[in-house]
Amino acid sequence: MSDAYSSRISGFYDRTITERLDALEANGVLTAEARAWLEAGGGLSLEVADMLVENVIAIHGLPLGVALNFCINGRDRVVPMAVEEPSVVAAASNAARMVRASGGFHGEATANVMTAQVQFDDVPDAAGAPARVLPHRERLLARGDGAIPRMTERGFGCRDLEVRVLDEALGVVTVHVHVDVGDAMGANTVDTVAEALAPALQELLGGTLGLRILTNLSVRRMVRVRCLVDQESLGGSAVADGIARASRFAELDVYRAVTHNKGFMNGLDAAAVALGQDWRGLEAGAHAWASLSGRYRPLSVWRRTADGLEGSAELPLAVGTVGGSTRAHEGVRRAFELLGVVEARELAVILASVGLASNLAALRALACEGIQEGHMRLHARKLYQSVPPPPKGSAP
Ligand code: MEV
């Protein structure tokens, strides 16, 4: 990352695309090479697309924007976002500007531990399953490690085992194996471990072997972020009160919590898509986490402080900076360059901060003028004016 790298570029929104690229280059965010590539259209070649998935016939486009003003753990970040919904990029940038004035976002992520499940049915004496497996923990972890030598060479690998009895009468037991996957997203790694361990587990447990697959609820791969925001930046104490009330509403009501979380995921997903992450997995994990207590809850909460608000969020986030489409897709490689991130844990903190910013922007708009009066209307008007009417006789 260049020393000049800064996420503060005033008036970015009002500039032409060429002027925006000029500003990003001047701010040390884009290299000349990355700029040339973006000017040539960016995206994905048909040849690479044809290698990524099946039955390819064309490329599906999405706008690529950048969210500005982010300062996360003391470092500026320009966040690439691929999204079709108007106002997501602007809202995250505006909220990041308000938070920046109070010191930016702060956060940390746990180790990159993913979990695979091995399922057994008809296990005899299911209640005794943990006692039959756990004494062999070290041997089993070593066997798992043996299946992923490229991970263990780099100091990663199997870390722990758990045995969960899901239905004693039916003998349904699942063994969880927790694997540090380093900076990879890690799905293939944990699936490999689960398959490698299954025969040894079956010898110990008996019963019928079932699935061997990761869980997207990666509770050992968590991220936590928080920020302060001053009420003057928000537009006054009544706005801060309104946001705190909106947060409480989400804490009390599932119908509100789900929409609150959708607003949180708006920014997180947009950045995740630009960065080639498995956003379906992130979504699945986030919503499962939200409901883990038995009641679906907001991923983020906002509390009143003496002069503003404190926001915080916690969720599992299985993201990777190596492997998967992070290498194959040039647009994703460029997005990583632009963001200047190398480690998966750093990426998790950035994505969760973008989520918190999106959530703040949505609650502020809702607590003030209402969402239709805000960015949505402006952007939607601009968008729909530029879309040609459908040909006569076509479906609406
Ligand atoms: C729209 O994409 C997201 C919001 O509905 C989120 C929210 O209600 O908090 C505005």
Side-chain angles (χ1 to χ4, degrees):
M1 198 189 269
S2 134
D3 287 347
Y5 189 107
S6 160
S7 67
R8 286 286 297 135
I9 307 176
S10 63
F12 195 78
Y13 175 84
D14 286 327
R15 302 186 195 191
T16 63
I17 292 176
T18 305
E19 288 167 349
R20 290 180 195 147
L21 294 176
D22 289 342
L24 289 173
E25 208 180 335
N27 271 34
V29 176
L30 277 186
T31 59
E33 192 202 351
R35 184 202 173 124
W37 179 80
L38 283 170
E39 274 174 336
L44 178 65
S45 72
L46 206 48
E47 291 70 36
V48 175
D50 200 23
M51 289 189 295
L52 283 177
V53 303
E54 309 73 37
N55 299 354
V56 167
I57 53 167
I59 306 288
H60 172 81
L62 272 181
L64 177 71
V66 285
L68 299 177
N69 305 320
F70 276 90
C71 177
I72 302 169
N73 285 342
R75 278 177 75 169
D76 272 26
R77 301 286 184 178
V78 172
V79 184
M81 286 182 149
V83 63
E84 85 301 338
E85 184 175 331
S87 111
V88 169
V89 181
S93 303
N94 287 340
R97 185 167 40 77
M98 292 173 205
V99 169
R100 187 183 181 89
S102 302
F105 296 87
H106 299 275
E108 59 282 319
T110 61
N112 299 304
V113 174
M114 294 292 287
T115 302
Q117 299 190 286
V118 185
Q119 174 209 351
F120 291 91
D121 293 312
D122 309 314
V123 169
D125 177 25
R132 298 211 292 284
V133 171
L134 294 178
H136 301 275
R137 181 180 176 278
E138 297 310 317
R139 176 173 67 85
L140 291 165
L141 295 181
R143 179 181 283 223
D145 278 343
I148 48 167
R150 284 179 41 222
M151 277 282 163
T152 54
E153 273 161 25
R154 286 179 287 145
F156 308 119
C158 299
R159 294 289 183 261
D160 202 3
L161 276 182
E162 267 177 281
V163 182
R164 298 173 57 230
V165 181
L166 301 183
D167 189 310
E168 218 178 298
L170 294 174
V172 183
V173 172
T174 174
V175 179
H176 284 193
V177 50
H178 304 288
V179 185
D180 186 339
V181 297
D183 287 317
M185 187 270 172
N188 291 334
T189 301
V190 288
D191 293 350
T192 302
V193 167
E195 289 183 7
L197 281 185
L201 289 170
Q202 187 160 29
E203 271 174 31
L204 296 167
L205 289 172
T208 313
L209 177 61
L211 311 184
R212 290 142 290 163
I213 185 74
L214 94 169
T215 168
N216 285 113
L217 179 55
S218 51
V219 293
R220 297 202 184 190
R221 200 175 195 179
M222 297 292 296
V223 60
R224 292 177 191 92
V225 289
R226 62 206 161 271
C227 68
L228 293 172
V229 56
D230 167 289
Q231 63 198 24
E232 294 322 310
S233 323
L234 287 167
S237 68
V239 180
D241 286 339
I243 294 171
R245 284 173 46 220
S247 176
R248 190 179 59 196
F249 179 16
E251 289 167 69
L252 293 172
D253 180 37
V254 61
Y255 292 93
R256 177 56 209 157
V258 68
T259 320
H260 177 107
N261 287 346
K262 193 274 184 182
F264 183 95
M265 296 303 285
N266 263 348
L268 193 159
D269 281 342
V273 170
L275 292 156
Q277 304 298 310
D278 177 358
W279 52 270
R280 287 87 50 209
L282 302 183
E283 281 279 337
H287 296 290
W289 172 254
S291 54
L292 203 57
S293 66
R295 194 160 133 235
Y296 185 91
R297 299 186 58 80
L299 295 166
S300 57
V301 292
W302 294 90
R303 297 272 181 263
R304 268 310 244 137
T305 60
D307 56 0
L309 289 168
E310 176 168 24
S312 58
E314 181 183 48
L315 68 159
L317 217 52
V319 292
T321 55
V322 295
S325 73
T326 56
R327 267 193 221 150
H329 190 304
E330 184 167 3
V332 170
R333 288 203 305 276
R334 297 290 180 192
F336 268 104
E337 251 171 62
L338 196 145
L339 182 62
V341 76
V342 177
E343 290 181 12
R345 293 167 64 193
E346 253 183 306
L347 178 59
V349 172
I350 294 170
L351 292 183
S353 300
V354 178
L356 200 56
S358 300
N359 176 229
L360 173 63
L363 298 189
R364 181 174 175 274
L366 291 165
C368 290
E369 72 269 20
I371 210 79
Q372 294 307 116
E373 275 305 306
H375 287 290
M376 281 206 168
R377 182 183 279 181
L378 286 173
H379 284 255
R381 195 186 302 131
K382 185 172 149 193
L383 176 73
Y384 294 124
Q385 273 173 359
S386 67
V387 174
K392 277 212 170 86
S394 65

